[in-house]
Amino acid sequence: MKLLMLLTFMALAEFDYQRRSAHSCPDLCACTFSLSAAEVVCGHSSLTHFPITGLLPNITRLSIQATNLSSITASHLSAVPLLNYLQLYYTNLASLPSELLGVLPHLDTLDLTGNQLVELPPNFFSHASLRNLVMKSNQFKKAEASWFPTNSSLTWLDFSRNHLTSISAALLQKLPHLQILDLSDNILQDLQADTFRNLHHLETLNLAGNKLTSLKPTTFANNLKLKQLFLQENQLKELPATLLQSLQHLEFLLLNQNKLQHLPIGLLDGRKPSFRTILTGNPWECEGKMEYLWKWLTINPQNVLFQEEITCVSPETLKHYQVASLNETQLGIKSQIL
């Protein structure tokens, strides 16, 4: 009986809270309230100013999407000091004030996708205990170490679809807790051997859609927890034989749509049974140097996705042949037991 009364009281309390809160929601926004959280979503193109009127101080999630906001200040955000999630998605922001995040001590996730940001003030993230940061689809040409504090708490950083030509070890040295790093669809042309040296907790690294032509043998030597490595849609012509040597937990490797003609001996050896790879869209030369990949495909078909699409580009007599379907004679190697 007491339990029933308690549940009834809680239900009435939440109903009353929602009833009272329903009268306080900014124009052009939708609000959701409960006893434990409050969320505001504003997604109307006619919204040109920060929706300060009607915001309650207990708001924990604020999402402003596809608007013409163009500017935001610390004074605006001081109205919602309990925010742990802030999304400013395609809101035409070209700059952000240095003190913006200082009024949000509980901020966990910041999503700035689809703006016009080119630069950020020094120490911009120093006042926020951020764990998730999304900077996707902006206009950044550089990612500066000066934006972040030493030993940042970030675990997820998405810098995809910008104009980055390089990424510095100095920046990533400040982000030792990263588990997910997305640098896809930039114009990265080269990676220094120590770029990812300090990322000992990294599990997912996305470098797809860049301009990489080669990788150093020790590029991933310190990323022992790496599980997913995306290298597709680059211009990789060859890979070091020891590139994956330290990655004993690697489960997913994408190398499709590169310029690989063969793989070095030992590259894919020692993989877990759960390991999967995609190798399609490369100009495989089905001659002597193809022996290693041919054998590996034959022995490990369960580890390869779309194996039927791994085909020869040369020589002309083998063009479009599936690599795994070839024999020793066609490859010009001596017959031997696999």
Side-chain angles (χ1 to χ4, degrees):
M1 185 65 179
K2 291 182 178 180
L3 177 60
L4 179 60
M5 292 178 64
L6 177 60
L7 292 174
T8 302
F9 174 78
M10 291 177 64
L12 288 173
E14 181 163 356
F15 173 78
D16 182 63
Y17 179 83
Q18 292 182 358
R19 179 184 61 78
R20 288 183 289 107
S21 298
H23 297 292
S24 183
C25 187
D27 292 339
L28 305 177
C29 301
C31 299
T32 304
F33 300 97
S34 69
L35 287 176
S36 58
E39 179 175 5
V40 175
V41 177
C42 308
H44 201 290
S45 60
S46 61
L47 184 66
T48 58
H49 296 86
F50 187 82
I52 190 75
T53 304
L55 279 181
L56 294 174
N58 66 326
I59 300 267
T60 54
R61 295 174 63 91
L62 174 61
S63 179
I64 300 177
Q65 311 170 0
T67 70
N68 287 294
L69 185 64
S70 75
S71 67
I72 186 171
T73 68
S75 177
H76 292 148
L77 294 181
S78 65
V80 282
L82 299 182
L83 275 190
N84 57 46
Y85 178 95
L86 175 61
Q87 182 183 55
L88 302 170
Y89 185 87
Y90 285 94
T91 53
N92 289 310
L93 294 171
S95 64
L96 296 172
S98 59
E99 71 280 5
L100 183 69
L101 304 182
V103 295
L104 300 176
H106 306 287
L107 193 64
D108 178 86
T109 299
L110 176 63
D111 185 347
L112 294 168
T113 296
N115 286 287
Q116 305 298 318
L117 298 171
V118 176
E119 184 60 84
L120 290 174
N123 302 311
F124 183 74
F125 300 110
S126 294
H127 305 292
S129 57
L130 283 176
R131 289 177 57 83
N132 308 303
L133 175 59
V134 182
M135 310 288 282
K136 182 177 180 179
S137 298
N138 276 277
Q139 304 296 319
F140 291 105
K141 295 181 179 180
K142 293 182 178 180
E144 302 286 358
S146 62
W147 300 342
F148 296 91
T150 300
N151 199 31
S152 165
S153 58
L154 276 187
T155 59
W156 174 30
L157 175 60
D158 185 344
F159 242 109
S160 62
R161 296 187 182 180
N162 278 277
H163 305 291
L164 302 180
T165 57
S166 64
I167 191 79
S168 72
L171 165 66
L172 298 180
Q173 190 169 0
K174 289 189 169 185
L175 311 176
H177 304 291
L178 276 186
Q179 297 174 15
I180 301 173
L181 175 58
D182 192 342
L183 298 170
S184 62
D185 298 313
N186 280 280
I187 47 179
L188 299 176
Q189 299 179 12
D190 186 39
L191 296 173
Q192 298 302 310
D194 63 347
T195 298
F196 306 115
R197 177 184 57 194
N198 201 45
L199 303 184
H200 302 296
H201 300 282
L202 195 64
E203 297 183 3
T204 299
L205 176 58
N206 193 344
L207 294 167
N210 281 285
K211 304 293 182 183
L212 299 172
T213 58
S214 64
L215 295 169
K216 309 292 191 300
T218 58
T219 300
F220 310 119
N222 296 299
N223 312 127
L224 306 185
K225 294 186 178 182
L226 200 61
K227 296 180 180 179
Q228 300 182 91
L229 179 56
F230 302 94
L231 294 169
Q232 74 272 26
E233 298 175 14
N234 276 280
Q235 298 177 19
L236 295 169
K237 297 179 180 180
E238 57 182 359
L239 297 172
T242 58
L243 182 68
L244 310 177
Q245 194 171 59
S246 301
L247 308 184
Q248 298 303 308
H249 299 286
L250 192 64
E251 296 180 352
F252 203 37
L253 171 66
L254 295 191
L255 285 169
N256 48 298
Q257 275 67 50
N258 275 284
K259 294 185 177 182
L260 298 169
Q261 297 178 335
H262 65 275
L263 294 184
I265 295 172
L267 179 72
L268 300 175
D269 290 356
R271 297 297 109 196
K272 301 170 59 175
S274 59
F275 174 74
R276 297 293 183 270
T277 186
I278 300 178
L279 302 169
T280 58
N282 283 284
W284 302 113
E285 287 190 355
C286 295
E287 298 177 317
K289 288 185 177 180
M290 182 56 69
E291 181 178 2
Y292 170 72
L293 177 57
W294 169 69
K295 284 185 176 180
W296 192 87
L297 292 174
T298 304
I299 296 171
N300 304 283
Q302 73 282 357
N303 298 121
V304 188
L305 301 176
F306 313 113
Q307 182 177 130
E308 68 281 359
E309 297 179 28
I310 304 174
T311 58
C312 306
V313 168
S314 64
E316 190 66 28
T317 55
L318 296 177
K319 193 172 184 178
H320 303 310
Y321 276 59
Q322 293 180 22
V323 173
S325 71
L326 302 177
N327 57 46
E328 294 95 331
T329 301
Q330 290 171 309
L331 285 171
I333 60 178
K334 291 182 180 180
S335 179
Q336 54 186 304
I337 298 175
L338 297 178

